[in-house]
C-alpha cells in the first residue's frame, strides 16, 4: 500500500466572517506550506479570500492550489473533478508537504474536503488527513 508523506488537513474557515475562524484553523493555515481552496469558473477563491482577510501576510510565500468543483448533478462529471482535485493535492502530499484545504462552513458536513479525503484514503495506510472544524476537532488514525 502507498503511504503519503504529508498530512491533508480539512480546515474550516467558518461561515464567512474572518473573525469567526478558530485559533486551530489559524494555526494550521500558518503551519501548512500548501493551501488548497475551491475556485469558481471566474477564478474567485472565496475561502482563500476569507483566510487572507484574517491572516494577511502570513499567507505570503505559500503554494496555493486552486481546486475546481462544478455544481452538477452528473455523477461522472463530479467524480472526474474530484479525482483531478485529489491528484493536484496528492503531488504535494507525496513530496512530504502538509496541505490545508480551506472550506467555508464545517468540513464534516457536505464539504468538498470529504470527497478528496475518500479518494486519498483509498489504498493508503494510515489515512493522511485531519479535520479542523469551527467548534470541534475530529482526528482519526487508522
Amino acid at each position: 500500500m502507498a503511504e503519503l508523506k504529508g498530512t491533508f488537513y480539512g480546515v474550516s474557515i467558518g461561515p464567512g466572517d474572518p473573525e469567526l475562524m478558530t485559533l486551530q484553523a489559524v494555526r494550521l493555515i500558518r503551519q501548512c506550506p500548501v493551501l488548497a481552496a475551491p475556485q469558481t469558473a471566474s477564478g474567485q477563491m472565496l475561502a482563500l479570500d476569507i483566510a487572507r482577510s484574517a491572516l494577511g501576510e502570513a499567507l505570503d510565500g505559500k503554494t496555493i492550489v486552486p481546486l475546481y468543483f462544478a455544481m452538477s448533478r452528473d455523477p461522472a462529471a463530479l467524480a472526474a473533478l474530484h479525482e483531478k482535485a485529489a491528484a493536484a493535492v496528492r503531488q504535494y502530499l507525496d513530496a512530504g508537504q502538509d496541505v490545508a484545504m480551506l472550506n467555508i462552513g464545517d468540513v464534516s458536513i457536505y464539504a468538498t474536503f470529504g470527497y478528496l479525503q475518500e479518494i486519498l484514503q483509498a489504498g493508503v495506510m494510515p489515512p493522511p488527513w485531519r479535520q479542523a472544524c469551527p467548534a470541534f476537532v475530529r482526528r482519526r488514525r487508522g
Side-chain angles (χ1 to χ4, degrees), residues 54-79:
L55 288 118
E57 293 177 2
L59 272 59
D60 292 351
K62 294 192 178 290
T63 300
I64 306 299
V65 180
L67 305 173
Y68 179 71
F69 299 102
M71 298 300 277
S72 172
R73 293 181 187 257
D74 178 3
L78 292 172

Side-chain angles (χ1 to χ4, degrees), residues 35-113:
L35 302 179
Q39 182 179 43
T40 65
S42 67
Q44 183 181 18
M45 297 175 79
L46 182 58
L48 180 65
D49 292 343
I50 293 166
R52 193 176 303 280
S53 293
L55 288 118
E57 293 177 2
L59 272 59
D60 292 351
K62 294 192 178 290
T63 300
I64 306 299
V65 180
L67 305 173
Y68 179 71
F69 299 102
M71 298 300 277
S72 172
R73 293 181 187 257
D74 178 3
L78 292 172
L81 289 171
H82 295 156
E83 288 285 343
K84 184 176 179 180
V89 169
R90 184 184 306 275
Q91 67 179 333
Y92 296 99
L93 297 172
D94 286 344
Q97 294 184 299
D98 292 344
V99 177
M101 181 175 171
L102 309 180
N103 290 265
I104 296 174
D106 188 326
V107 295
S108 64
I109 303 173
Y110 302 116
T112 50
F113 170 77

